[in-house]
């Protein structure tokens, strides 16, 4: 009896210990977000019935796995009684219904404005999105939508998403109607005419009151609505895809595309988001707009949902509605937190690995393989930089949202030459790129990531990524430095100021980095960051570069 007692006690202890350990891991959050259009003018075979049946099948899939999701409605779908009836029933299970902010003809005409589109739904930025309307018109579009939504569902929506949304609209929705969450497109360059480049990579951020894409640095300067990044980009390969072309391809979790239908890739992506080291929390969105039809997304969702179900049953992930994720974020974070995404395997078996790090001040990306490591990207954030669309409407059929580049491994590269900051060692007066044989990634605490890189000559470099700084420490008998190099034919839009700053300018506002330890030197399009006593500390939070 005594042996049995001790055995049960040990088992209970282990169960509690294991449960506590899992609970102490950074949360891994999934939103299942499907957004709904009433019509699809680009393909005559995609009828209103096909679109409706797609949503019905998405509802069935959620029920099959006893999951709750978020459906976001365009105005034209909102006023369709079929969608109203279907989603009212689904809401009884706890599924969320909110707004999808693409502007349609019925919406514009309900406001009393003239429709300028080619079709009743037109995806061009100056017609189908809020940026194509004056601030006053945007407010009217919000008022009409919100009142119609409340008339149908008995309350205002808590979540409103869009491929891109301006700060004026988002702030108005928050201040007058109290929205809790928003979601926006992943980073992409030129895809569908929409450029969102250099922003908070994945996860969620509080946007500047002047710029819906730019993370704010202060509580006073932010709109207190977390904006979640959608679509689940490949952490390694999405960034460089279609390099040298005017628009990027797609390597994402979206079930209509090749990656999202491929079980090997999906498992790799889920490992990155749900298992590999991260700080703060990790996040992804699952789901697709009904325009791609059930025939187009069935296979991909059939791969993804059983895997999500297993992870949820094991307690490894939390599946939340967009509203729930927003409330959780706002309760936990008064300002945008440091977060990270790590990929320690490679779905293409090329030996590449990566770490993305975000904070309210900057983002950076390190990419490495069995030979070398490089900073592929550093972009700074500045809440003072006003979006082109804040006070006036956009007149182009495309849109552009950007941040402040220090390294841009996509725009400053060519297919044969990759722009980056690389490690160099100096021996007998000659510079040679450091060759890496091993990189160990770990979390230091809830706001710091660390990479320990061991070179083939046994020297070691420790890279610590924190909210404000990038710190690099070398243990080597030879001098070393970092060098920012760009592709031939490209022009570096930065200059050295004094001997410790590297600065640029965006929309009339200066930005830059400061070496708190070490110095900066420039020769044409090449910049050297030189350590002091084997230490280099780069401050990414300074905003005083007059």
């Amino acid at each position: 009896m005594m042996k049995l007692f001790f055995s049960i006690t040990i088992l209970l202890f282990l169960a509690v210990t294991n449960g506590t350990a899992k609970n102490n891991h950074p949360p891994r959050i999934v939103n299942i977000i499907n957004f709904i259009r009433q019509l699809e003018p680009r393909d005559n075979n995609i009828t209103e019935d096909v679109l409706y049946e797609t949503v019905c099948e998405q509802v069935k899939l959620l029920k099959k796995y006893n999951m709750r999701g978020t459906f976001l409605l365009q105005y034209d779908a909102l006023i369709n009684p079929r969608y109203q009836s279907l989603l009212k029933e689904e809401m009884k299970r706890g599924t969320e219904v909110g707004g999808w902010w693409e502007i349609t003809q019925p919406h514009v005409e309900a406001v009393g404005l003239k429709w300028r589109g080619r079709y009743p739904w037109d995806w061009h930025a100056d017609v189908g999105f809020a940026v194509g309307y004056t601030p006053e018109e945007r407010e009217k579009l919000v008022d009409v939508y919100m009142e119609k939504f409340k008339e149908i569902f008995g309350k205002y929506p808590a979540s409103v998403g869009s491929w891109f949304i301006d700060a004026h609209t988002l702030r108005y929705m928050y201040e007058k109607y109290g929205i809790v969450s928003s979601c926006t497109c992943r980073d992409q360059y030129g895809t569908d005419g929409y450029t969102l480049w250099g922003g908070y990579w994945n996860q969620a951020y509080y946007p500047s009151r002047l710029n819906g894409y730019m993370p704010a640095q202060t509580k006073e300067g932010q709109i207190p609505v977390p904006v979640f990044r959608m679509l689940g980009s490949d952490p390694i390969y999405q960034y460089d895809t279609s390099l040298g072309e005017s628009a990027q391809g797609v390597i994402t979790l979206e079930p209509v595309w090749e990656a999202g239908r491929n079980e090997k890739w999906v498992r790799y992506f889920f490992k990155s988001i749900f298992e590999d080291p991260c700080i703060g929390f990790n996040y992804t969105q699952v789901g697709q707009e009904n325009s791609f039809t059930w025939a187009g997304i069935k296979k991909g969702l059939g791969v993804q949902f059983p895997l999500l179900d297993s992870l949820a049953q094991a307690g490894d992930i939390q599946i939340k509605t967009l509203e729930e994720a927003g409330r959780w974020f706002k309760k936990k974070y008064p300002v945008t937190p440091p977060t990270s995404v790590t990929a320690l395997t490679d779905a293409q078996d090329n030996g590449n690995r990566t770490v993305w790090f975000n904070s309210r001040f900057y983002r950076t990306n390190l990419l490495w393989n069995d030979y070398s490591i490089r900073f592929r990207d550093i972009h700074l954030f500045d809440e003072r930089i006003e979006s082109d669309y804040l006070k006036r409407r956009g007149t182009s059929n495309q849109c552009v949202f950007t941040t402040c580049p220090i390294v841009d491994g996509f725009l400053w590269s060519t297919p044969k030459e990759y722009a980056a900051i690389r490690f160099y060692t100096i021996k007998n007066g000659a510079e040679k790129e450091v060759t890496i044989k091993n990189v160990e990634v770990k979390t230091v605490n809830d706001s710091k990531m660390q990479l320990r890189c061991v070179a083939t000559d046994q020297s070691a470099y420790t890279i610590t990524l924190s909210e404000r700084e990038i710190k690099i420490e070398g243990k080597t008998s030879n001098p070393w430095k970092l060098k920012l190099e760009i592709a031939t034919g490209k022009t570096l839009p930065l200059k050295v100021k004094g001997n410790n700053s590297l600065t640029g300018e965006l929309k009339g506002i200066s930005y830059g980095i400061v070496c708190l330890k070490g110095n900066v030197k420039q020769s044409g399009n090449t910049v050297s960051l030189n350590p002091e006593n084997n230490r280099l500390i780069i401050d990414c939070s300074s905003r005083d570069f007059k």
Side-chain angles (χ1 to χ4, degrees):
M1 182 64 71
M2 188 61 70
K3 289 181 178 179
L4 179 61
F5 171 78
F6 279 115
S7 297
I8 293 173
T9 302
I10 290 170
L11 288 172
L12 287 171
F13 173 78
L14 290 173
V16 171
T17 302
N18 289 337
T20 303
K22 181 169 287 188
N23 290 336
N24 285 338
H25 289 175
R28 316 291 175 126
I29 295 172
V30 177
N31 286 162
I32 302 172
I33 303 174
N34 299 302
F35 35 107
I36 303 174
R37 297 181 178 126
Q38 167 66 20
L39 53 85
E40 175 49 81
R42 294 171 292 187
D43 187 339
N44 291 332
N45 294 317
I46 303 178
T47 64
E48 292 185 17
D49 286 341
V50 169
L51 294 170
Y52 176 73
E53 289 304 318
T54 299
V55 181
C56 290
E57 293 297 334
Q58 290 171 325
V59 168
K60 289 178 184 177
L61 192 62
L62 288 170
K63 289 180 177 178
K64 177 180 177 180
Y65 289 97
N66 195 28
M67 295 178 184
R68 298 175 302 115
T70 297
F71 287 93
L72 303 178
L73 291 157
Q74 283 186 176
Y75 184 87
D76 55 359
L78 172 69
I79 61 177
N80 184 327
R82 289 203 293 183
Y83 289 117
Q84 296 170 16
S85 177
L86 175 68
L87 295 178
K88 282 179 180 179
E89 285 299 310
E90 182 62 6
M91 289 171 73
K92 294 176 182 177
R93 292 196 322 109
T95 280
E96 177 190 11
V97 178
W100 182 248
W101 217 247
E102 291 180 335
I103 310 303
T104 60
Q105 184 173 356
H107 192 177
V108 166
E109 292 178 346
V111 171
L113 299 174
K114 183 178 180 180
W115 177 245
R116 295 179 277 108
R118 300 165 296 167
Y119 317 102
W121 167 65
D122 189 332
W123 54 93
H124 280 178
D126 58 333
V127 175
F129 293 87
V131 298
Y133 300 83
T134 67
E136 294 76 17
E137 290 170 342
R138 294 174 209 173
E139 292 180 8
K140 293 178 182 178
L141 288 166
V142 171
D143 290 339
V144 163
Y145 187 97
M146 292 295 185
E147 293 307 323
K148 180 60 69 173
F149 190 99
K150 186 176 182 181
E151 175 188 320
I152 294 165
F153 293 109
K155 61 178 183 178
Y156 295 127
S159 301
V160 178
S162 181
W163 290 137
F164 47 93
I165 195 164
D166 64 285
H168 185 93
T169 297
L170 196 63
R171 183 178 173 185
Y172 185 74
M173 288 177 174
Y174 167 74
E175 291 179 347
K176 186 169 182 178
Y177 298 101
I179 70 164
V180 174
S181 296
S182 187
C183 57
T184 192
C185 186
R186 60 174 170 81
D187 256 32
Q188 63 181 34
Y189 197 88
T191 311
D192 296 324
Y194 315 146
T195 291
L196 299 92
W197 195 248
Y200 196 96
W201 201 88
N202 208 49
Q203 327 304 41
Y205 66 96
Y206 290 117
S208 163
R209 294 163 73 89
L210 304 181
N211 191 325
Y213 181 68
M214 183 78 74
Q217 287 71 63
T218 65
K219 194 171 183 179
E220 297 73 25
Q222 71 188 19
I223 301 171
V225 176
V227 177
F228 291 82
R229 304 302 301 270
M230 301 177 71
L231 306 180
S233 292
D234 187 311
I236 295 173
Y237 291 105
Q238 176 60 48
Y239 184 86
D240 287 333
T241 189
S242 308
L243 185 61
E245 300 178 20
S246 60
Q248 285 186 314
V250 179
I251 310 175
T252 71
L253 192 60
E254 295 167 271
V256 71
W257 303 117
E258 181 180 353
R261 299 194 304 263
N262 184 306
E263 183 171 347
K264 179 182 177 182
W265 185 92
V266 172
R267 287 184 178 276
Y268 142 80
F269 180 79
F270 283 175
K271 179 183 180 300
S272 169
I273 300 298
F274 304 141
E275 296 180 29
D276 287 344
C278 77
I279 57 172
F281 73 103
N282 223 332
Y283 168 85
T284 196
Q285 174 252 331
V286 174
Q288 192 91 64
E289 63 265 46
N290 59 339
S291 294
F292 284 112
T293 77
W294 184 244
I297 65 178
K298 178 181 179 180
K299 179 180 177 181
L301 293 180
V303 169
Q304 295 173 22
F305 265 69
L307 296 174
L308 291 173
D309 184 53
S310 296
L311 291 162
Q313 294 293 336
D316 294 328
I317 64 173
Q318 303 174 31
I319 298 177
K320 296 179 180 290
T321 65
L322 183 54
E323 176 186 358
E324 289 170 343
R327 293 191 186 281
W328 172 86
F329 186 96
K330 292 183 71 171
K331 183 177 180 180
K332 186 173 178 64
Y333 300 117
V335 293
T336 298
T339 63
S340 61
V341 177
T342 304
L344 298 181
T345 53
D346 182 345
Q348 297 187 23
D349 300 321
N350 294 321
N352 290 313
R353 286 144 285 172
T354 199
V355 168
W356 285 92
F357 181 90
N358 303 289
S359 79
R360 58 194 161 122
F361 297 102
Y362 74 103
R363 80 173 194 188
T364 189
N365 175 243
L366 282 138
L367 182 75
W368 69 95
N369 50 36
D370 295 334
Y371 307 101
S372 64
I373 186 168
R374 68 183 190 263
F375 284 89
R376 184 167 55 164
D377 182 279
I378 301 175
H379 277 75
L380 308 183
F381 307 140
D382 194 327
E383 66 185 23
R384 302 170 300 171
I385 296 176
E386 186 177 298
S387 165
D388 292 336
Y389 312 111
L390 180 69
K391 296 175 182 176
R392 54 189 178 275
R393 75 176 189 90
T395 56
S396 169
N397 61 11
Q398 302 188 27
C399 80
V400 177
F401 289 91
T402 58
T403 62
C404 308
I406 295 295
V407 183
D408 195 317
F410 182 75
L411 293 180
W412 301 350
S413 297
T414 65
K416 293 184 178 180
E417 292 183 272
Y418 291 95
I421 292 179
R422 296 178 173 87
F423 287 71
Y424 282 86
T425 187
I426 305 164
K427 190 173 183 180
N428 298 325
E431 293 182 359
K432 182 180 179 182
E433 186 175 358
V434 173
T435 52
I436 298 294
K437 71 175 184 179
N438 183 57
V439 177
E440 177 188 350
V441 180
K442 67 176 184 178
T443 59
V444 178
N445 53 39
D446 197 42
S447 62
K448 290 184 181 180
M449 290 290 290
Q450 194 170 85
L451 294 81
R452 186 174 185 273
C453 312
V454 179
T456 53
D457 64 1
Q458 301 307 311
S459 60
Y461 303 86
T462 300
I463 305 166
T464 303
L465 307 171
S466 61
E467 184 175 40
R468 293 175 177 267
E469 298 174 351
I470 300 171
K471 182 167 70 174
I472 304 165
E473 297 177 279
K475 290 187 177 180
T476 173
S477 58
N478 295 315
W480 59 277
K481 65 169 66 174
L482 302 187
K483 286 177 65 175
L484 167 57
E485 300 166 300
I486 65 174
T488 303
K490 301 288 184 176
T491 300
L492 183 69
L494 305 170
K495 63 181 179 180
V496 170
K497 183 178 181 181
N499 68 349
N500 69 340
S501 300
L502 182 63
T503 65
E505 186 177 290
L506 181 64
K507 301 186 187 301
I509 293 180
S510 296
Y511 67 88
I513 57 173
V514 178
C515 282
L516 302 179
K517 200 79 170 178
N519 62 71
V520 188
K521 295 182 179 179
Q522 185 170 13
S523 176
N525 281 330
T526 300
V527 174
S528 298
L529 296 96
N530 308 293
E532 178 185 341
N533 297 325
N534 273 329
R535 297 178 72 212
L536 188 63
I537 300 178
I538 302 169
D539 178 12
C540 297
S541 67
S542 179
R543 296 295 178 265
D544 186 17
F545 291 95
K546 295 180 181 178

